[in-house]
């Protein structure tokens, strides 16, 4: 067990063999020790050469120590609150000595001391005055400790010690591995070590020998069976949870067509079209013309995939027609005929919630009808895909519906088959 005491009056106090003593101005790294005792319980600390009870001469050192506490990784910190010392301020020369114009007990400026000075070193800070004056006695093990103050802080994580009879909190857990005490634990080495061993050190138990583990007693066998059965149940439940998370991630991928654009949108739409139209777009080569070309026995689909922040525009519909006319020219050059259908798969108002999106305007729907183009909003495509996954519609129905309809695709188009 390694201990460091940090305080204004520390550095050479006798009787603390084996304990590192460091002044506030130059403490060693906290993580070099198991326990760091940050003591405000020193008369020399409670001096301010200027005319104010809102700081002490060592306030900058207190703030530095607070930063060290914040950045430590493993050591336990114990803050030791002061006893009711006399607080001196406003220095003046007094012959060969030094005098102070103002001085009073800490209890008489307790709110200022707590909020302006003690909070400089505490981490985390307590924004309210949690310290109250009262002389108490606390028993730890076989030792009695005195304290001039006690805590009344509802936000503390745990109360380690209370005063005898009056039941006032004298040691509390402020935060993980951060303890604050009002007890006068730094009077001697024995008092400090007893405090740490009784309250903070893990109690060592005799290790269980292997041969003892093999002995069956009472309902041991029954309890081992319960543990085994429950572990199997937990393992199955964890597997189910993991499978559910993977399915949710897959569902989220498909829902992304409601807010994405560009290659991200195209990739997911391709995956949906592969299933709806029973095709394979993995070999499609983007030559910066149409976004997809799907050739079925009864029909060829040519089209665009777009994610936009606006509504469907004439230019979106016309762009599909450009690809269509170009493909028809190619068929004519090759002396081939195909039943070609135009598809505009579009995610309009992609940055808005579905409930906030405006419907496609009649003008664009009419243009699509004239051009022989079918506008499919990604929200509609997602619902169609959901019906497909449930087995309510087939690939053949999708091919037929996409090929015979123009204008704006409605889910009701599948009800007419």
């Amino acid at each position: 067990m390694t201990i460091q005491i940090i305080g204004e009056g520390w550095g050479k106090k006798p009787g603390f063999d084996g304990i590192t003593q460091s002044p506030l101005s130059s403490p060693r790294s906290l993580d070099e020790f198991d326990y760091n005792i940050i003591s405000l319980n020193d008369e020399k600390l409670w001096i301010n050469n200027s005319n104010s009870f809102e700081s002490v001469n060592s306030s900058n050192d207190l703030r530095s120590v607070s930063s060290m506490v914040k950045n430590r990784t493993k050591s336990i910190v114990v803050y030791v609150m002061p006893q009711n010392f006399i607080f001196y301020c406003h220095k003046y020369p007094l012959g060969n000595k030094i005098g102070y114009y103002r001085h009073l007990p800490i209890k008489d400026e307790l709110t200022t001391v707590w909020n302006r000075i003690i909070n400089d070193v505490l981490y985390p800070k307590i924004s309210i005055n949690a310290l109250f004056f009262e002389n108490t006695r606390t028993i730890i093990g076989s030792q009695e400790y005195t304290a001039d103050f006690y805590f009344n802080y509802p936000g503390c994580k745990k109360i380690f010690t209370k005063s005898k009879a009056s039941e006032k909190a004298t040691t509390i857990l402020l935060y993980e591995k951060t303890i604050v005490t009002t007890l006068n634990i730094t009077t001697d080495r024995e008092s400090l070590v007893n405090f740490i061993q009784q309250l903070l050190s893990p109690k060592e138990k005799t290790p269980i020998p292997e041969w003892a583990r093999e002995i069956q007693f009472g309902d041991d066998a029954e309890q081992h069976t319960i543990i085994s059965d429950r572990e199997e149940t937990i393992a199955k439940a964890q597997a189910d949870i993991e499978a559910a998370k993977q399915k949710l991630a897959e569902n989220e991928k498909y829902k992304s067509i409601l807010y994405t654009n560009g290659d991200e949108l195209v990739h997911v739409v391709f995956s949906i079209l592969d299933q709806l139209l029973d095709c394979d777009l993995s070999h499609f080569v983007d030559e910066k013309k149409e976004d997809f070309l799907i050739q079925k026995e009864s029909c060829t689909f040519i089209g665009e995939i777009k994610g936009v922040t606006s509504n469907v525009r004439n230019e979106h519909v016309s762009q599909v027609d450009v690809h269509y006319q170009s493909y028809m020219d190619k068929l004519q050059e090759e002396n081939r005929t195909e039943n070609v259908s135009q598809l505009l798969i579009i995610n309009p108002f992609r940055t808005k919630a579905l409930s906030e999106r405006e419907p496609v305007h009649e003008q664009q729907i009419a243009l699509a009808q004239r051009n022989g183009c079918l506008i499919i909003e990604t929200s509609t495509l997602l619902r169609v895909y959901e019906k497909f996954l449930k087995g309510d519609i087939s690939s053949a129905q999708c091919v037929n519906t996409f090929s015979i309809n123009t204008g704006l695709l409605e889910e009701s188009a599948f009800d007419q088959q």
Side-chain angles (χ1 to χ4, degrees):
M1 179 173 67
T2 56
I3 304 171
Q4 175 180 217
I5 299 180
I6 303 169
E8 183 62 32
W10 292 88
K12 54 184 178 181
K13 287 187 179 181
F16 286 84
D17 297 341
I19 296 177
T20 299
Q21 301 181 46
S22 302
L24 275 174
S25 58
S26 57
R28 284 171 55 179
S29 171
L30 303 189
D31 284 325
E32 291 183 15
F33 303 90
D34 299 319
Y35 302 94
N36 290 277
I37 313 302
I38 300 173
S39 179
L40 307 185
N41 191 29
D42 297 294
E43 290 180 295
K44 295 179 180 179
L45 174 66
W46 298 98
I47 298 173
N48 187 358
N49 291 340
S50 66
N51 185 21
S52 173
F53 289 111
E54 295 190 355
S55 63
V56 293
N57 293 338
S58 300
S59 283
N60 287 337
D61 294 331
L62 292 177
R63 286 187 281 271
S64 296
V65 170
S66 177
S67 179
M68 293 176 67
V69 173
K70 177 181 179 181
N71 294 316
R72 80 194 194 281
T73 59
K74 57 185 179 180
S75 66
I76 293 175
V77 166
V78 179
Y79 288 107
V80 183
M81 295 295 100
Q83 300 306 300
N84 189 30
F85 299 125
I86 300 298
F87 192 162
Y88 295 92
C89 71
H90 200 176
K91 181 180 73 171
Y92 68 92
L94 184 63
N96 295 329
K97 299 180 180 180
I98 295 175
Y100 293 89
Y101 287 114
R102 303 177 66 193
H103 50 83
L104 48 76
I106 289 176
K107 71 178 181 63
D108 293 347
E109 280 288 341
L110 191 54
T111 298
T112 300
V113 166
W114 178 266
N115 290 327
R116 299 292 187 179
I117 301 174
I118 294 178
N119 251 339
D120 272 351
V121 71
L122 287 183
Y123 180 81
K125 300 182 186 303
I126 301 176
S127 60
I128 60 174
N129 184 12
L131 202 64
F132 293 84
F133 174 71
E134 186 175 308
N135 292 312
T136 62
R137 301 288 184 272
T138 299
I139 304 296
I140 302 177
S142 60
Q143 285 193 246
E144 182 179 86
Y145 295 82
T146 61
D148 289 347
F149 300 96
Y150 70 90
F151 296 108
N152 184 10
Y153 176 45
C156 75
K157 306 295 183 182
K158 177 182 178 182
I159 296 176
F160 283 98
T161 64
K162 292 182 178 180
S163 59
K164 63 179 183 180
S166 61
E167 293 285 304
K168 300 295 176 60
T170 52
T171 305
I172 63 173
L173 178 65
L174 178 61
Y175 189 63
E176 183 180 355
K177 295 185 178 181
T178 306
I179 293 93
V180 190
T181 186
T182 61
L183 299 178
N184 197 2
I185 66 172
T186 55
T187 55
D188 54 71
R189 187 182 191 281
E190 182 182 357
S191 298
L192 178 59
V193 171
N194 178 69
F195 177 90
I196 293 174
Q197 289 180 337
Q198 294 290 332
L199 299 183
L200 308 180
S201 295
K203 305 298 186 290
E204 294 186 1
K205 294 184 178 180
T206 303
I208 303 174
E210 287 301 318
W211 60 263
R213 298 182 186 276
E214 298 173 1
I215 298 174
Q216 294 294 315
F217 172 77
D219 60 352
D220 277 4
E222 179 184 349
Q223 300 307 322
H224 283 302
T225 299
I226 291 173
I227 291 172
S228 178
D229 290 346
R230 298 300 184 270
E231 286 178 343
E232 184 177 338
T233 300
I234 291 171
K236 183 180 183 303
Q238 288 176 335
D240 291 343
I241 290 171
E242 186 58 34
K245 286 182 178 179
Q246 292 178 2
K247 189 62 176 67
L248 284 172
E250 182 181 358
N251 291 348
E252 195 61 49
K253 178 188 76 171
Y254 290 115
K255 288 191 291 183
S256 71
I257 66 173
L258 301 175
Y259 54 83
T260 55
N261 66 343
D263 291 342
E264 189 177 3
L265 174 63
V266 169
H267 175 74
V268 180
V269 170
F270 271 21
S271 177
I272 294 175
L273 292 179
D274 279 347
Q275 298 170 71
L276 292 183
L277 302 180
D278 190 20
C279 62
D280 182 7
L281 284 166
S282 62
H283 303 298
F284 176 75
V285 178
D286 185 0
E287 297 179 345
K288 304 304 178 184
K289 298 178 181 179
E290 66 276 351
D291 280 339
F292 62 86
L293 182 68
I294 301 171
Q295 293 177 307
K296 302 294 295 182
E297 185 175 342
S298 60
C299 180
T300 296
F301 294 105
I302 189 169
E304 277 286 310
I305 301 171
K306 289 190 173 297
V308 295
T309 56
S310 65
N311 205 337
V312 180
R313 294 177 176 172
N314 289 341
E315 63 184 275
H316 302 143
V317 179
S318 298
Q319 189 173 357
V320 183
D321 187 58
V322 170
H323 299 320
Y324 169 77
Q325 297 299 339
S326 178
Y327 187 71
M328 296 303 292
D329 288 342
K330 179 181 178 183
L331 291 179
Q332 185 176 8
E333 291 171 2
E334 297 175 357
N335 198 25
R336 292 189 294 120
T337 59
E338 292 178 10
N339 179 22
V340 182
S341 294
Q342 304 175 48
L343 300 181
L344 172 60
I345 299 176
I346 189 165
N347 180 21
F349 298 113
R350 67 180 183 84
T351 57
K352 292 185 177 181
L354 294 184
S355 60
E356 299 174 356
R357 299 184 184 185
E358 300 173 11
V360 179
H361 294 152
E362 289 298 329
Q363 180 182 348
Q364 282 69 46
I365 296 175
L367 177 61
Q369 289 172 335
R370 289 198 300 272
N371 290 356
C373 176
L374 179 62
I375 302 170
I376 306 176
E377 293 177 278
T378 55
S379 56
T380 303
L381 182 67
L382 191 64
R383 292 194 296 271
V384 170
Y385 181 49
E386 187 176 27
K387 290 187 178 208
F388 174 82
L389 292 176
K390 291 179 179 178
D392 295 339
I393 57 177
S394 65
S395 291
Q397 288 177 286
C398 291
V399 171
N400 184 59
T401 301
F402 289 1
S403 63
I404 65 175
N405 284 279
T406 59
L408 179 67
L409 179 66
E410 304 284 354
E411 283 185 80
S412 59
F414 288 91
D415 300 333
Q416 301 169 8
Q417 299 185 44

